[in-house]
Amino acid sequence: MIVKLTGSLKKAWRTACATGRLMVGVHDYDNYVAQTRRHNPHAPVMSKRQFYDYCHKRRLGGSGSRCC
C-alpha cells in the first residue's frame, strides 16, 4: 500500500512539474524524444536547439517578437 502511494505521489509530482514548465513556456525535450520514439521509432528527431527554436516560434507566432 505504501509503495503504491509513493509511486502515485512521484507520478503526481512529475506531472505537476511538467505542467508548471509548460505554463511558463519551457517545453520538455526528453518527453518529446520519448514520445517520438514510442509512436514512430524511425522518425527523425529534432536536436535540442531545433526543438527549442520550434517551440519558441510556435509560442511567439513565428514572428520572433510580439506586441503585448
Side-chain angles (χ1 to χ4, degrees), residues 6-67:
T6 303
S8 296
L9 288 173
K10 284 182 181 180
K11 184 176 179 183
W13 178 252
R14 275 183 262 158
T15 301
C17 288
T19 300
R21 284 191 294 271
L22 287 171
M23 288 174 64
V24 296
V26 177
H27 294 276
D28 189 357
Y29 178 74
D30 294 329
N31 188 39
Y32 154 73
V33 172
Q35 282 187 320
T36 302
R37 293 287 181 229
R38 187 170 42 249
H39 293 291
N40 188 353
H42 304 294
V45 177
M46 291 184 269
S47 69
K48 278 190 176 186
R49 182 65 189 178
Q50 289 171 323
F51 179 75
Y52 172 78
D53 289 342
Y54 169 77
C55 293
H56 188 72
K57 286 177 184 172
R58 281 192 53 138
R59 189 172 58 137
L60 298 179
S63 66
S65 66
R66 62 183 201 196
C67 176

